[in-house]
Structures are given as C-alpha cells and as structure tokens.
Amino acid sequence: MKIIGTGSALPKKVVTNDMLTEFYDTSDEWIQARTGIVTRRIMTDESLLDLAITAAQRALEASGLKAEELDYILCSNVNNNYVFPSLSSMVQGKIGATCPCMDIRNACAGFVYVMDLADMYIKTGRAKRILLLTAEEPTRFCSWKQRETSVLFGDGAAAAVVEEGGEYLGARVTTICNTEVLYQRRRLEPTPFEVEGVYIDQPMVMQGREVFRMAVTNCSKEISTLLEDTGYKIEDVKFFLLHQANMRIIKGIEQYLGGKPEQFPTTVQKYGNTSSASMAILLDELVRENRIERDDLLVMSGFGAGFTTGSCMLKY
Ligand code: UT7
C-alpha cells in the first residue's frame, strides 16, 4: 500500500490559551508548560461533516483520482451529531463516491487502525484504492467546566488516499482493557424499564497522569518492537508521526527511543489534541510543505482510550 494524496481541514476559529482564562482558572503559562499547546481550532459555524468533506476532497485532488474510482472509504471518528449512519456514508454521497464505507471508533489511535485495515483490504485484493478519513470534534466530548481536560483539545479532519503498490512495512496494534483512565458515557433514550441511576450522561473523564504514563511507556515499547521486527534503526526513520496530545509525551517518547528532535515534527502547539485526526493532519502538513519525499521511512504511532495503541511503518 502507498499513500498517493493527503488533505486536511481545520475550523477557522483560533482559540488562544488566554481566551480560555475567561471560562476557568487557568493560564497561558500553565498550559504551555504542561502541554506545549499555544492555540487550538474550535468549530463555530462549521460542522464536522463539512470538515470531513473538505479533507476528503483535498486528498482526492492531490491523488489525481476521481471519487468514483475509490473501492472503499474507511473512517476513524469518535463522535459527531449522528449515532448512525456512519460519517463515511455521509461523506461518500457528498464527494460523489459510490463505494462501501465503514467507520471505526477506536479513539485517538484510530487512524493507524484504518491504515492497517486498508493494508489488509489491499493485500487480499478486495480493494485497490481506498480513502482513509478521520474527523474529530473532541471539544464536544469534554466538559467546558473542567480546566483539566478542555484546554487540551481542538477539532479537525484529515484524509489520505492509498492504493496498491509501495511498501507498508509493518504494524503493531494493542489493546489493554483499562477503561477507567479515559472514557465518556452517554445516556441513551430512556425506556419504561430503565432503573434509575443505571444510565449516566457524563463528559469525558480522564486520569491525566496515568494516560500520560501509559502513552509514553506503551508507544515507546511498541515503536521499538516495530523497529526490531522490520530490521530498521531509529536513524533510518525520517519522521516519527506521533499522536499530538501533549508536547511532553512526544518528548518522552523521543527520549526513550534516543531520536533527534527533528525526527519528531509537531502540530500540537497550533492545533491541540485533535484525537485520531492529529497524525493525519501532521502527515498532510509535512507533505504540503514538501518535507516528505518518496521512499522516506515514516513511523506513525498513536494511543487512546481502551487503552489502545497503534503503530505502523511505511515508505512514503
Ligand atoms: O488523546 C489522549 C488524551 N489525553 C491525554 O493525552 C492526557 C495525558 N495527560 C496529560 O497530558 C497531562 O497529565 C495533563 C496535561 C492533563 C496534566 O498535566 P500534569 O503535569 O499531569 O498535571 P496534574 O494533573 O498533575 O496537575 C497539576 C496541577 C493540579 O493542581 P494541584 O493539585 O497540584 O494543586 C491541577 O489541579 O495543575 C492543576 N491544573 C491546572 N492548572 C491550571 C490542572 N489543569 C489545569 C489548568 N490550568 N488547565
């Protein structure tokens, strides 16, 4: 599998750390020191569907393919206004595609999971050209009364078109059942049989320090194993595209692996944590800035609720 086009779309509203001090007791100093985040983009009059469509169209345009030539749309999305149909089904008709579509909901690591699924569809000959999509609005699953979580997130979407050929060298995906460290519970429609107190509506709950620890430990370990399995060394890798959650997490993984800072590009300072969209937005930015050349070795690695990790290696 190889990537033949990328695209992304971000909301126009730029929210600075200082703007957040209007809502709760926080400061630019605290946010920058603990997370590296300076600004984030938050949706106002856009919808997530708008962003997803724009990202998909940009990736298609860059690939030179027409939407009708796609064999599948695989999408990573945690939440949007619709429980069903899938976000990818809604995007499909708007961009003029006619292929089957599927969404996966695997939190921030989701983009690596759709990449890995795409590789399997292509390897088995079931599909030749696939649109990988990710669109996330995490600013709508955290509480805007909680400074611990809402300072971290931003919204965004990104896409990549992949086709057969190229070298997708390997992947490692893991799930550790540790659902208490990161979750959001949503109340469903009540039934006449519901027992009071059973269904809870609750914004995101996060044990930040524990998520931080698991992220650094597990991603570092998985990337090291992926390198061992494929026979490559740290210095062979042009870029490690890590989930953009916190600059300190990225630095922690960089230090564990013993890589150079320039191998770990970041967007977290500009966009905050855009959940599973973060790695794909970063990929698109590097491609558009001509910082990635054909055959450059890339490692992508993300982590998220579950607790899940997903890491993969490919030649661009
Ligand atoms: O995609 C995955 C999603 N989640 C993550 O990636 C989160 C991973 N974890 C983290 O990024 C970090 O744990 C945080 C950024 C969430 C927190 O940083 P920390 O260094 O672990 O801080 P802490 O939770 O230990 O809190 C330190 C202090 C606390 O005050 P006390 O108890 O020491 O008096 C917090 O109440 O900072 C306080 N605090 C804040 N202060 C100002 C927490 N949030 C804020 C805030 N502004 N926004």
Side-chain angles (χ1 to χ4, degrees):
M1 168 176 110
K2 68 176 174 198
I3 296 170
I4 58 166
T6 63
S8 59
L10 291 146
K12 58 185 173 305
K13 175 92 178 164
V14 178
V15 176
T16 64
N17 292 341
D18 280 338
M19 287 160 81
L20 300 180
T21 61
E22 288 172 31
F23 309 111
Y24 32 64
D25 177 21
T26 189
S27 65
D28 181 45
E29 293 73 29
W30 190 95
I31 301 171
Q32 285 209 42
R34 302 283 175 140
T35 71
I37 298 167
V38 182
T39 57
R40 72 283 291 138
R41 302 287 185 92
I42 298 185
M43 289 196 295
T44 50
D45 58 352
E46 305 100 338
S47 74
L48 196 65
L49 181 60
D50 294 336
L51 295 185
I53 292 167
T54 305
Q57 286 170 332
R58 287 179 179 159
L60 272 172
E61 198 184 318
S63 75
L65 291 187
K66 294 194 173 65
E68 312 89 76
E69 295 177 271
L70 292 171
D71 299 322
Y72 226 124
I73 302 177
L74 300 174
C75 174
S76 166
N77 168 251
V78 175
N79 68 330
N80 71 78
N81 299 68
Y82 285 80
V83 175
F84 52 83
S86 62
L87 186 63
S88 50
S89 303
M90 291 190 269
V91 170
Q92 186 238 40
K94 300 280 184 198
I95 63 171
T98 51
C99 58
C101 300
M102 172 165 60
D103 280 16
I104 67 147
R105 191 154 56 88
N106 219 12
C108 303
F111 192 69
V112 174
Y113 282 74
V114 293
M115 285 194 71
D116 207 35
L117 275 175
D119 177 58
M120 284 184 269
Y121 272 108
I122 287 173
K123 275 202 181 111
T124 56
R126 294 277 304 277
K128 284 190 166 63
R129 300 179 181 108
I130 302 178
L131 176 71
L132 309 180
L133 185 60
T134 158
E136 300 284 17
E137 47 183 333
T139 62
R140 305 284 293 275
F141 60 57
C142 52
S143 161
W144 278 83
K145 294 190 179 103
Q146 284 174 2
R147 63 179 185 173
E148 297 83 354
T149 51
S150 50
V151 300
L152 303 175
F153 294 99
D155 305 322
V161 180
V162 293
E163 71 173 15
E164 63 180 350
E167 286 178 79
Y168 182 81
L169 297 159
R172 290 185 59 85
V173 289
T174 68
T175 301
I176 299 163
C177 179
N178 186 346
T179 53
E180 297 305 306
V181 294
L182 193 56
Y183 64 89
Q184 186 203 352
R185 292 174 72 175
R186 179 168 52 182
R187 188 185 170 88
L188 302 177
E189 285 302 306
T191 72
F193 311 105
E194 179 181 319
V195 177
E196 209 176 318
V198 170
Y199 296 107
I200 297 169
D201 211 16
Q202 192 177 28
M204 190 181 90
V205 175
M206 183 179 78
Q207 293 174 28
R209 282 186 192 184
E210 186 55 11
V211 173
F212 190 112
R213 190 192 64 75
M214 290 181 78
V216 175
T217 310
N218 293 306
C219 282
S220 301
K221 208 173 71 186
E222 290 306 318
I223 295 171
S224 298
T225 310
L226 188 58
L227 287 166
E228 267 167 46
D229 290 351
T230 51
Y232 285 96
K233 298 192 181 63
I234 305 284
E235 53 270 30
D236 299 327
V237 179
K238 174 79 176 280
F239 289 126
F240 291 88
L241 308 183
L242 305 184
H243 172 40
Q244 302 288 302
N246 183 323
M247 196 67 90
R248 286 160 57 217
I249 294 178
I250 297 167
K251 281 280 160 207
I253 297 171
E254 178 196 312
Q255 276 156 20
Y256 178 99
L257 295 173
K260 296 196 181 107
E262 58 269 27
Q263 290 174 291
F264 295 79
T266 57
T267 54
V268 66
Q269 63 278 25
K270 293 189 288 187
Y271 306 140
N273 178 348
T274 55
S275 188
S276 74
S278 82
M279 283 180 275
I281 292 171
L282 175 60
L283 172 70
D284 181 50
E285 287 213 352
L286 293 170
V287 169
R288 283 174 194 271
E289 288 165 8
N290 295 318
R291 290 170 64 191
I292 303 185
E293 287 168 19
R294 281 284 157 213
D295 286 335
D296 278 348
L297 193 59
L298 305 178
V299 169
M300 299 178 84
S301 182
F303 61 88
F307 190 85
T308 59
T309 68
S311 307
C312 67
M313 180 189 276
L314 72 155
K315 281 200 178 161
Y316 179 73

